[in-house]
Amino acid sequence: MLLKHTTDEIKARKALTINPAKTCQPIGAMYASLGIHGCLPHSHGSQGCYAYHRSTLTRHYKEPVMAATSAFTEGASVFGGQANLLQALDNIFTVYNPDVVAVHTTCLSETIGDDIPQIFNKAIADGKVPEGKYVLHANTPSYVGSHITGFANMTKAMVDYFAVSNGHKEKTVNIIPGYVEPADMEEIKRLGDIMGIKTIMFPDTSKVLNGPMTGRFKMYPEGGVTIKELKLAGSSKGTIALGNLASGAAAKALDVKCKVPCQILDLPIGLQATDMFIDTLRQIAGVNVPDAVTFERGQMIDIITDMHQYFYGRRVGLVGDPDQILALAKFLVSIDMCPVYIVSGSPAGKKFVKRLEEITQEVPYEVKISVPGDMFLFHQWIKQESVDLIIGNTYAKYIARDEDIPLIRFGFPILDRVGHSYFPTVGYKGGIRLLEKILDAILDRIDRDSSDISFELVM
Amino acid sequence: MTGISILKERKKQIYQKGAEPFSITCGKHSLAGSVSQRACVFCGSRVVLYPIADALHLIHGPIGCAAYTWDIRGALSSGPELHRLSFSTDLQEKDVIFGGEKKLYHALIDLIHEYKPKAAFVYSTCIVGIIGDDVEAVCKKVSRETGVETLPVHSEGFKGTKKDGYKAACEALFKLVGQGSVDNISPYSINILGEFNIGGEAWIIKDYYKRMGVNVVSTMTGDGRVDDVRRSHGAMLNVVQCSGAMTYLADMMKEKYGIPYIRVSYFGLEDMSKALYDVAEYFSHNPEIMTCTQELVRYEISRIYPELQKIKTAVKGKRAAIYVGGAFKAFSLIKALKYIGINVILAGSQTGNDADYEVLRDMCDKGTIILDDANPLELSKYIIEKKADLFIGGVKERPIAYKMGIGFCDHNHERKTPLAGYSGMLNFAREVYLTVTSPVWQFAR
Ligand code: SF4
Ligand code: SF4
């Protein structure tokens, strides 16, 4: 009973978050920055946040996470951080020699109002940014939004800083993958590849945060979108943005800036959302869907058919990031499961909540949604009436243990398991994996709880 | 990777034993632009106070500071678990503009009403320092209205280093000290300071003292209770471990209550035994305590000795790099490693001071690299140059070690097993053994 202090009586709380289901903007920006090739993320603020952001990403990915800090002291917090950032850029290019430095702000530098572009101009004028090297920045005050907002802002900054239209349309299609795992980005690219489409994905953390063990420490691993590709993104045929909250801003900015038309889709989690993604990709690129893709789709449906009786009517609690819970809720409903409690810590707007309500309107139970909400409330709901399954990040394990409910780890952060950065949950293959996880959880529970008499070999 | 450039300003923070004269610069702020492994004031306060399990810990600031420190340390409690929940005022833009005092007030009132904690700690984070909330006043008001003592912890991140956070935490604790009754406290009594009960370490240590006939009034702050802290001034002696964190409190208690203190370390056979003997020595007017201590040490060492010897044969001659928070920990680690035949080729700390580094230098063999506030490039450069087989560090160092194909041992947050005490030494040796001799490295290198 780790969370024995959680009560089932729900009282109004306005001034207080208990057990947050979100983190702050800079970590999202840091994650996005790592998806640029040869990039060193830089946190413009004091050392603490930055240390926490690096630790949390390190714990989640189990990979070295590099970033630099402006190391604010009291002086900087009073007189502004310009001197710190100038010195930082100088030091960074001298010692760590990245191709790109991606600066994000923190609560502190935001509040004192540092003007990053102006500082960049000064740095460039002073020769502190060597020839052929790049800088970019995003404003990421943490008292607005969440880590998702930070991711979105940094991704948009990639467009603002680099995308240019070269006057004619290239064959490429841009894909903005959303706040997903490196394995998901890899899977989305793979689907593009087998459809014979040249894609530009940004950010792209595959091979950066799920790289191989080589016996050497590399400050800048292989992967990541290059600046050349980011420039070219301005001349692509079109953009697919996956997940409105994490990717919408960049896609729209690219449309405005370079007239690259965009389509904003749900994250391709589950059958319908993946269908939608494949179909949109097909249309933009003007290709046919190859048999290999149809084959994978068929495999996924096969599993759903074979096991459909086990999904029926199961009550699920979903807690996580908005784009993810939306796609997940839709998927669950489509296989006859019942997402009954849905919580996201990140604010996502009224429209978003309305969509969730639409998606779950056929669910034969009362569906409770809280966006933004926290895990404490989520737990209180479960205490009032339990669920058969929880899908959420590692912190949900306290609730799962206390209430004896199976948990599928999904989202960010996952601090106590591996796999999430190597195996996708998007696309048909990812859908198959997700189905496997759901079935394992449910069937393990049936096995555990069944009496000797009803314990079965074949299920 | 060996050809890295080291900044002029950093050169003085790196020293190789044997190169004279000895000079190392420390206590400096990290350079802007560094990939520092260090944290902030808030972090320091949070780790010190976190294990007080029957207190309320409310983080006043935007969500991040609370989210990242939510139950990341395995500071175990034998009773209440209130400390494992994450409470935050989750400041929003309008709070930053109009101030967050009201929000703080309401949050405290709600929480105190709901959980009836023994006391409440309010941590100020960076932003609170900038917008200038009068946390002190809010806490006073809440204390008055609820009768639950509400203590501000001045831990604005930018106002210094982790060390300053320790200080802020000590100041908050010191306010509690002296409030409780000292009735029925034995004349052979101590407080344990700077022990955080990671993986249950405080329990091991308390058990030793108990067996010696010494009474522990309070452990600060591992498995901590507010009321114990309140009566801690009744103890005869303060025993300070992890000197960086709590010496400040010991000093204040010495000044105000005349309680002397000794500095100890609970890591490694040598230091652990010394920690017990020093206490026995202090109570030497009761010779029975010394007799019990001798017996205890003999018994405990003989229990683990055979296995330690076996491990020693297996790991002898391996090379280790150490990069930890406090320098004091590094001393113990070096001794413990030497005991099992492992050479230390690099020793670094995030927060060491001049005196610490001199001790380090004296302890290390010729050629050992000593580093203050290092970055991953430097660490990896010396690990390759000096052919380390093992890296001992914290969360951010682990994947760096693994990528380079060498063993790793966590001596910071992520520990599951206690490393303090005699059984802890055995755990440590086992951990070292299993990682440096793991068959996985044959595929890695
Ligand atoms: S905001 Fe300040 S207090 Fe919070 S983690 Fe960052 S440096 Fe530390
Ligand atoms: S919420 Fe703000 S101050 Fe706290 S860790 Fe995040 S950026 Fe730093």
Side-chain angles (χ1 to χ4, degrees):
Chain A
M1 282 298 278
L2 275 170
L3 299 183
K4 56 187 163 202
H5 304 283
T6 307
T7 47
D8 61 356
E9 188 197 344
I10 296 170
K11 292 176 193 153
R13 284 182 278 137
K14 273 215 180 84
L16 182 63
T17 294
I18 308 177
N19 301 344
K22 64 172 171 179
T23 62
C24 65
Q25 281 213 46
I27 201 171
M30 197 182 270
Y31 179 52
S33 309
L34 290 165
I36 302 177
H37 181 72
C39 176
L40 187 67
H42 179 88
S43 165
H44 187 52
S46 44
Q47 241 162 280
C49 335
Y50 144 94
Y52 284 132
H53 302 152
R54 279 182 64 208
S55 299
T56 305
L57 289 174
T58 303
R59 289 188 173 105
H60 178 86
Y61 293 106
K62 314 224 178 305
E63 291 287 309
V65 172
M66 291 302 123
T69 168
S70 285
F72 270 32
T73 55
E74 212 150 358
S77 345
V78 177
F79 303 116
Q82 166 160 325
N84 287 56
L85 188 51
L86 289 176
Q87 192 201 6
L89 289 171
D90 202 14
N91 287 343
I92 287 170
F93 284 117
T94 317
V95 180
Y96 304 108
N97 194 28
D99 298 337
V100 190
V101 176
V103 177
H104 57 263
T105 54
T106 63
C107 299
L108 189 52
S109 54
E110 275 298 319
T111 312
I112 60 181
D114 279 345
D115 181 354
I116 309 290
Q118 176 261 319
I119 302 175
F120 277 171
N121 287 338
K122 180 144 178 38
I124 293 165
D126 293 355
K128 293 204 158 108
V129 181
E131 202 64 38
K133 304 276 178 176
Y134 299 91
V135 288
L136 73 158
H137 98 284
N139 292 94
T140 50
S142 300
Y143 40 79
V144 181
S146 72
H147 56 294
I148 301 301
T149 325
F151 180 93
N153 287 346
M154 185 51 84
T155 307
K156 176 174 175 288
M158 295 176 197
V159 170
D160 294 342
Y161 271 84
F162 301 116
V164 281
S165 167
N166 63 13
H168 53 271
K169 285 281 170 236
E170 301 286 339
K171 281 209 163 63
T172 49
V173 178
N174 303 326
I175 301 180
I176 310 177
Y179 202 109
V180 292
E181 292 282 340
D184 296 321
M185 301 195 187
E186 212 169 293
E187 176 64 9
I188 293 166
K189 282 196 297 188
R190 186 187 70 90
L191 286 169
D193 282 351
I194 42 178
M195 291 171 75
I197 299 165
K198 269 180 114 179
T199 54
I200 296 175
M201 175 172 290
F202 67 93
D204 177 9
T205 58
S206 61
K207 297 199 174 83
V208 180
L209 289 168
N210 61 357
M213 196 275 173
T214 55
R216 256 176 311 156
F217 163 64
K218 271 193 182 166
M219 190 99 181
Y220 309 106
E222 234 174 86
V225 64
T226 61
I227 298 296
K228 201 171 141 213
E229 287 173 306
L230 280 177
K231 288 182 177 164
L232 194 67
S235 310
S236 286
K237 273 184 167 177
T239 302
I240 300 182
L242 300 172
N244 182 30
L245 273 121
S247 307
K252 282 179 220 151
L254 193 54
D255 193 349
V256 172
K257 185 177 178 188
C258 305
K259 305 280 163 309
V260 181
C262 69
Q263 304 244 24
I264 300 172
L265 308 178
D266 293 338
L267 284 176
I269 294 171
L271 190 73
Q272 291 148 306
T274 304
D275 285 352
M276 188 66 174
F277 167 65
I278 297 288
D279 195 47
T280 311
L281 199 54
R282 175 191 68 79
Q283 283 178 27
I284 296 175
V287 296
N288 291 321
V289 175
D291 291 347
V293 173
T294 316
F295 188 84
E296 285 173 17
R297 180 177 191 273
Q299 286 179 318
M300 184 176 171
I301 301 176
D302 192 59
I303 291 179
I304 302 175
T305 324
D306 289 348
M307 305 302 273
H308 72 275
Q309 72 268 37
Y310 293 106
F311 301 123
Y312 174 78
R314 305 270 166 189
R315 291 164 54 86
V316 186
L318 261 182
V319 54
D321 296 332
D323 294 337
Q324 291 173 349
I325 56 173
L326 187 89
L328 276 172
K330 210 169 148 192
F331 179 39
L332 294 177
V333 169
S334 80
I335 56 172
D336 240 353
M337 294 181 80
C338 308
V340 284
Y341 308 138
I342 306 178
V343 168
S344 162
S346 303
K350 283 209 184 78
K351 265 199 204 139
F352 175 85
V353 177
K354 203 157 166 252
R355 268 207 74 197
L356 274 182
E357 282 164 0
E358 281 163 19
I359 288 168
T360 53
Q361 73 189 354
E362 302 285 310
V363 172
Y365 296 103
E366 186 195 356
V367 176
K368 295 179 176 176
I369 298 170
S370 178
V371 181
D374 58 26
M375 284 210 197
F376 188 78
L377 177 67
F378 184 69
H379 191 181
Q380 288 182 310
W381 284 344
I382 288 175
K383 272 189 171 306
Q384 292 182 339
E385 191 179 355
S386 193
V387 291
D388 300 306
L389 182 68
I390 297 173
I391 303 182
N393 71 26
T394 289
Y395 282 105
K397 86 191 250 184
Y398 296 117
I399 304 171
R401 179 187 157 101
D402 284 355
E403 308 302 331
D404 193 23
I405 300 166
L407 165 69
I408 294 174
R409 285 168 181 75
F410 193 97
F412 179 84
I414 295 173
L415 307 170
D416 60 342
R417 293 292 188 273
V418 293
H420 52 89
S421 42
Y422 299 96
F423 304 106
T425 54
V426 300
Y428 303 117
K429 287 271 187 220
I432 290 173
R433 175 164 175 256
L434 209 48
L435 287 166
E436 185 201 12
K437 284 187 152 228
I438 293 171
L439 285 164
D440 276 352
I442 294 172
L443 298 182
D444 281 351
R445 180 52 56 112
I446 294 176
D447 274 342
R448 194 196 81 173
D449 293 347
S450 64
S451 65
D452 284 355
I453 296 165
S454 54
F455 187 69
E456 285 186 83
L457 177 71
V458 182
M459 295 179 100
Chain B
M1 191 54 73
T2 38
I4 64 156
S5 35
I6 288 167
L7 282 182
K8 217 170 48 260
E9 295 90 328
R10 283 253 340 126
K11 284 200 171 127
K12 289 212 170 93
Q13 283 167 279
I14 302 170
Y15 169 78
Q16 180 155 13
K17 170 89 183 254
E20 293 300 334
F22 171 72
S23 86
I24 187 158
T25 315
C26 53
K28 291 211 326 187
H29 279 293
S30 299
L31 289 175
S34 55
V35 180
S36 167
Q37 313 284 81
R38 275 181 180 168
C40 69
V41 183
F42 166 67
C43 174
S45 298
R46 184 81 170 118
V47 299
V48 168
L49 297 174
Y50 168 71
I52 302 184
D54 58 354
L56 176 79
H57 301 268
L58 172 63
I59 296 167
H60 186 33
I63 200 68
C65 315
Y68 303 122
T69 53
W70 178 10
D71 210 27
I72 52 170
R73 279 168 81 92
L76 307 183
S77 164
S78 53
E81 304 266 6
L82 195 54
H83 67 308
R84 303 189 72 168
L85 271 72
S86 175
F87 300 112
S88 167
T89 48
D90 193 356
L91 290 183
Q92 299 298 307
E93 197 160 24
K94 65 173 193 312
D95 307 316
V96 172
I97 299 166
F98 300 112
E101 288 175 19
K102 260 208 194 116
K103 205 169 186 185
L104 175 61
Y105 171 79
H106 287 299
L108 279 168
I109 295 286
D110 281 1
L111 283 170
I112 289 172
H113 188 76
E114 181 74 42
Y115 296 108
K116 306 184 176 52
K118 292 282 183 189
F121 294 105
V122 179
Y123 304 76
S124 307
T125 60
C126 283
I127 204 78
V128 173
I130 294 290
I131 62 178
D133 277 359
D134 190 348
V135 176
E136 195 97 38
V138 176
C139 286
K140 268 204 193 116
K141 188 169 174 216
V142 171
S143 300
R144 214 181 320 116
E145 288 175 15
T146 61
V148 171
E149 188 162 6
T150 304
L151 298 157
V153 185
H154 297 288
S155 52
E156 293 85 351
F158 61 87
K159 287 194 172 157
T161 63
K162 211 167 157 181
K163 267 194 204 167
D164 301 284
Y166 296 153
K167 208 171 139 188
C170 286
E171 267 155 12
L173 279 174
F174 191 58
K175 287 188 190 143
L176 292 172
V177 174
Q179 293 181 348
S181 146
V182 296
D183 292 350
N184 305 323
I185 291 181
S186 131
Y188 310 110
S189 57
I190 59 170
N191 297 309
I192 301 175
L193 270 61
E195 164 51 59
F196 302 107
N197 205 30
I198 308 284
E201 288 178 335
W203 298 334
I204 295 177
I205 305 299
K206 268 173 93 165
D207 174 59
Y208 294 158
Y209 286 122
K210 192 174 155 210
R211 282 154 62 190
M212 285 161 56
V214 172
N215 177 251
V216 178
V217 180
S218 108
T219 46
M220 289 190 252
T221 51
D223 195 14
R225 300 291 179 273
V226 172
D227 285 341
D228 292 345
V229 179
R230 285 195 166 118
R231 57 193 234 116
S232 60
H233 60 299
M236 299 298 137
L237 177 70
N238 276 337
V239 181
V240 187
Q241 114 112 5
C242 181
S243 58
M246 288 264 205
T247 312
Y248 190 70
L249 179 65
D251 275 325
M252 290 191 289
M253 287 177 74
K254 186 174 166 193
E255 189 166 315
K256 182 155 179 196
Y257 301 102
I259 306 171
Y261 68 87
I262 54 173
R263 287 167 53 151
V264 301
S265 160
Y266 297 132
F267 297 111
L269 300 187
E270 206 179 311
D271 286 354
M272 183 63 238
S273 305
K274 189 169 182 314
L276 302 180
Y277 281 130
D278 284 353
V279 171
E281 196 67 47
Y282 183 78
F283 295 119
S284 57
H285 49 290
N286 181 349
E288 211 178 298
I289 292 182
M290 184 54 95
T291 317
C292 289
T293 309
Q294 281 162 346
E295 236 165 66
L296 184 150
V297 172
R298 205 171 309 125
Y299 175 78
E300 288 292 333
I301 292 188
S302 66
R303 235 166 40 140
I304 60 168
Y305 189 77
E307 194 179 337
L308 273 185
Q309 286 317 101
K310 256 190 236 156
I311 291 175
K312 185 170 177 172
T313 338
V315 301
K316 203 168 178 310
K318 300 277 184 194
R319 300 145 159 276
I322 301 178
Y323 187 71
V324 287
F328 225 64
K329 202 189 278 172
F331 305 156
S332 293
L333 277 171
I334 292 172
K335 285 188 234 170
L337 287 166
K338 272 193 183 158
Y339 188 82
I340 51 172
I342 291 186
N343 304 318
V344 173
I345 50 88
L346 179 152
S349 123
Q350 295 172 26
T351 55
N353 61 27
D354 288 326
D356 293 336
Y357 284 115
E358 263 175 54
V359 178
L360 253 192
R361 176 201 55 184
D362 294 342
M363 289 180 73
C364 289
D365 296 329
K366 197 159 173 249
T368 304
I369 305 287
I370 297 176
L371 282 175
D372 179 57
D373 185 23
N375 65 49
L377 277 188
E378 290 164 7
L379 291 172
S380 76
K381 166 188 151 90
Y382 293 116
I383 283 173
I384 292 173
E385 268 183 30
K386 298 276 170 186
K387 299 199 175 57
D389 304 290
L390 170 69
F391 195 164
I392 299 182
V395 52
K396 294 194 284 293
E397 284 80 45
R398 182 198 300 266
I400 296 176
Y402 287 160
K403 272 279 181 290
M404 298 174 68
I406 66 170
F408 179 83
C409 185
D410 192 294
H411 216 288
N412 202 11
H413 291 257
E414 316 258 278
R415 265 187 291 138
K416 307 290 169 277
T417 46
L419 303 184
Y422 299 99
S423 47
M425 174 66 195
L426 188 57
N427 289 340
F428 175 65
R430 279 176 185 157
E431 227 175 287
V432 168
Y433 169 81
L434 83 85
T435 189
V436 298
T437 63
S438 168
V440 72
W441 307 127
Q442 67 185 319
F443 310 113
R445 277 178 277 194

PDB file of all heavy atoms in Angstrom, chain B residues 285-297:
ATOM      1  N   HIS B 285      33.534   6.152  29.386  1.00  0.00           N
ATOM      2  CA  HIS B 285      33.256   5.987  30.803  1.00  0.00           C
ATOM      3  C   HIS B 285      32.334   4.799  31.055  1.00  0.00           C
ATOM      4  O   HIS B 285      32.111   4.404  32.179  1.00  0.00           O
ATOM      5  CB  HIS B 285      32.675   7.269  31.397  1.00  0.00           C
ATOM      6  CG  HIS B 285      31.543   7.838  30.593  1.00  0.00           C
ATOM      7  ND1 HIS B 285      31.730   8.414  29.352  1.00  0.00           N
ATOM      8  CD2 HIS B 285      30.230   7.911  30.857  1.00  0.00           C
ATOM      9  CE1 HIS B 285      30.546   8.820  28.897  1.00  0.00           C
ATOM     10  NE2 HIS B 285      29.635   8.522  29.787  1.00  0.00           N
ATOM     11  N   ASN B 286      31.793   4.257  30.031  1.00  0.00           N
ATOM     12  CA  ASN B 286      31.062   3.007  30.168  1.00  0.00           C
ATOM     13  C   ASN B 286      31.780   1.938  29.331  1.00  0.00           C
ATOM     14  O   ASN B 286      31.477   1.755  28.158  1.00  0.00           O
ATOM     15  CB  ASN B 286      29.612   3.181  29.686  1.00  0.00           C
ATOM     16  CG  ASN B 286      28.815   1.899  29.847  1.00  0.00           C
ATOM     17  OD1 ASN B 286      29.370   0.836  30.129  1.00  0.00           O
ATOM     18  ND2 ASN B 286      27.508   2.013  29.668  1.00  0.00           N
ATOM     19  N   PRO B 287      32.714   1.229  29.928  1.00  0.00           N
ATOM     20  CA  PRO B 287      33.561   0.293  29.174  1.00  0.00           C
ATOM     21  C   PRO B 287      32.774  -0.828  28.512  1.00  0.00           C
ATOM     22  O   PRO B 287      33.241  -1.429  27.550  1.00  0.00           O
ATOM     23  CB  PRO B 287      34.532  -0.253  30.225  1.00  0.00           C
ATOM     24  CG  PRO B 287      34.080   0.242  31.542  1.00  0.00           C
ATOM     25  CD  PRO B 287      33.043   1.278  31.370  1.00  0.00           C
ATOM     26  N   GLU B 288      31.591  -1.062  29.017  1.00  0.00           N
ATOM     27  CA  GLU B 288      30.793  -2.133  28.431  1.00  0.00           C
ATOM     28  C   GLU B 288      30.503  -1.859  26.951  1.00  0.00           C
ATOM     29  O   GLU B 288      30.437  -2.762  26.132  1.00  0.00           O
ATOM     30  CB  GLU B 288      29.489  -2.252  29.210  1.00  0.00           C
ATOM     31  CG  GLU B 288      28.932  -3.654  29.246  1.00  0.00           C
ATOM     32  CD  GLU B 288      27.668  -3.686  30.080  1.00  0.00           C
ATOM     33  OE1 GLU B 288      27.758  -3.389  31.286  1.00  0.00           O
ATOM     34  OE2 GLU B 288      26.606  -3.957  29.510  1.00  0.00           O
ATOM     35  N   ILE B 289      30.342  -0.598  26.663  1.00  0.00           N
ATOM     36  CA  ILE B 289      30.043  -0.235  25.267  1.00  0.00           C
ATOM     37  C   ILE B 289      31.199  -0.645  24.365  1.00  0.00           C
ATOM     38  O   ILE B 289      30.998  -1.220  23.301  1.00  0.00           O
ATOM     39  CB  ILE B 289      29.751   1.277  25.163  1.00  0.00           C
ATOM     40  CG1 ILE B 289      28.432   1.574  25.879  1.00  0.00           C
ATOM     41  CG2 ILE B 289      29.686   1.717  23.710  1.00  0.00           C
ATOM     42  CD1 ILE B 289      27.983   3.010  25.820  1.00  0.00           C
ATOM     43  N   MET B 290      32.413  -0.378  24.812  1.00  0.00           N
ATOM     44  CA  MET B 290      33.571  -0.749  24.011  1.00  0.00           C
ATOM     45  C   MET B 290      33.657  -2.263  23.828  1.00  0.00           C
ATOM     46  O   MET B 290      33.903  -2.757  22.720  1.00  0.00           O
ATOM     47  CB  MET B 290      34.842  -0.186  24.658  1.00  0.00           C
ATOM     48  CG  MET B 290      36.122  -0.421  23.854  1.00  0.00           C
ATOM     49  SD  MET B 290      36.014   0.166  22.130  1.00  0.00           S
ATOM     50  CE  MET B 290      36.711   1.785  22.240  1.00  0.00           C
ATOM     51  N   THR B 291      33.387  -2.985  24.889  1.00  0.00           N
ATOM     52  CA  THR B 291      33.434  -4.445  24.791  1.00  0.00           C
ATOM     53  C   THR B 291      32.418  -4.945  23.768  1.00  0.00           C
ATOM     54  O   THR B 291      32.725  -5.764  22.906  1.00  0.00           O
ATOM     55  CB  THR B 291      33.113  -5.082  26.171  1.00  0.00           C
ATOM     56  OG1 THR B 291      33.810  -4.344  27.167  1.00  0.00           O
ATOM     57  CG2 THR B 291      33.509  -6.530  26.202  1.00  0.00           C
ATOM     58  N   CYS B 292      31.227  -4.406  23.860  1.00  0.00           N
ATOM     59  CA  CYS B 292      30.174  -4.810  22.908  1.00  0.00           C
ATOM     60  C   CYS B 292      30.590  -4.470  21.489  1.00  0.00           C
ATOM     61  O   CYS B 292      30.341  -5.223  20.545  1.00  0.00           O
ATOM     62  CB  CYS B 292      28.867  -4.085  23.210  1.00  0.00           C
ATOM     63  SG  CYS B 292      28.075  -4.648  24.691  1.00  0.00           S
ATOM     64  N   THR B 293      31.225  -3.318  21.339  1.00  0.00           N
ATOM     65  CA  THR B 293      31.618  -2.874  20.003  1.00  0.00           C
ATOM     66  C   THR B 293      32.653  -3.822  19.411  1.00  0.00           C
ATOM     67  O   THR B 293      32.564  -4.229  18.255  1.00  0.00           O
ATOM     68  CB  THR B 293      32.185  -1.443  20.070  1.00  0.00           C
ATOM     69  OG1 THR B 293      31.272  -0.628  20.779  1.00  0.00           O
ATOM     70  CG2 THR B 293      32.395  -0.874  18.682  1.00  0.00           C
ATOM     71  N   GLN B 294      33.631  -4.152  20.238  1.00  0.00           N
ATOM     72  CA  GLN B 294      34.674  -5.064  19.754  1.00  0.00           C
ATOM     73  C   GLN B 294      34.063  -6.388  19.308  1.00  0.00           C
ATOM     74  O   GLN B 294      34.387  -6.931  18.251  1.00  0.00           O
ATOM     75  CB  GLN B 294      35.708  -5.305  20.859  1.00  0.00           C
ATOM     76  CG  GLN B 294      36.685  -4.155  20.962  1.00  0.00           C
ATOM     77  CD  GLN B 294      37.432  -4.137  22.291  1.00  0.00           C
ATOM     78  OE1 GLN B 294      37.053  -4.813  23.251  1.00  0.00           O
ATOM     79  NE2 GLN B 294      38.493  -3.363  22.351  1.00  0.00           N
ATOM     80  N   GLU B 295      33.161  -6.867  20.122  1.00  0.00           N
ATOM     81  CA  GLU B 295      32.506  -8.126  19.798  1.00  0.00           C
ATOM     82  C   GLU B 295      31.737  -8.014  18.485  1.00  0.00           C
ATOM     83  O   GLU B 295      31.813  -8.875  17.623  1.00  0.00           O
ATOM     84  CB  GLU B 295      31.518  -8.467  20.911  1.00  0.00           C
ATOM     85  CG  GLU B 295      31.741  -9.809  21.532  1.00  0.00           C
ATOM     86  CD  GLU B 295      30.980  -9.884  22.837  1.00  0.00           C
ATOM     87  OE1 GLU B 295      29.726  -9.848  22.773  1.00  0.00           O
ATOM     88  OE2 GLU B 295      31.621  -9.911  23.909  1.00  0.00           O
ATOM     89  N   LEU B 296      31.028  -6.919  18.387  1.00  0.00           N
ATOM     90  CA  LEU B 296      30.201  -6.703  17.199  1.00  0.00           C
ATOM     91  C   LEU B 296      31.066  -6.667  15.941  1.00  0.00           C
ATOM     92  O   LEU B 296      30.778  -7.330  14.945  1.00  0.00           O
ATOM     93  CB  LEU B 296      29.437  -5.386  17.354  1.00  0.00           C
ATOM     94  CG  LEU B 296      28.436  -4.994  16.264  1.00  0.00           C
ATOM     95  CD1 LEU B 296      27.335  -4.178  16.888  1.00  0.00           C
ATOM     96  CD2 LEU B 296      29.036  -4.222  15.125  1.00  0.00           C
ATOM     97  N   VAL B 297      32.143  -5.904  16.009  1.00  0.00           N
ATOM     98  CA  VAL B 297      33.001  -5.754  14.829  1.00  0.00           C
ATOM     99  C   VAL B 297      33.588  -7.111  14.447  1.00  0.00           C
ATOM    100  O   VAL B 297      33.589  -7.505  13.277  1.00  0.00           O
ATOM    101  CB  VAL B 297      34.108  -4.715  15.094  1.00  0.00           C
ATOM    102  CG1 VAL B 297      35.119  -4.703  13.957  1.00  0.00           C
ATOM    103  CG2 VAL B 297      33.494  -3.331  15.271  1.00  0.00           C
TER     104      VAL B 297
END
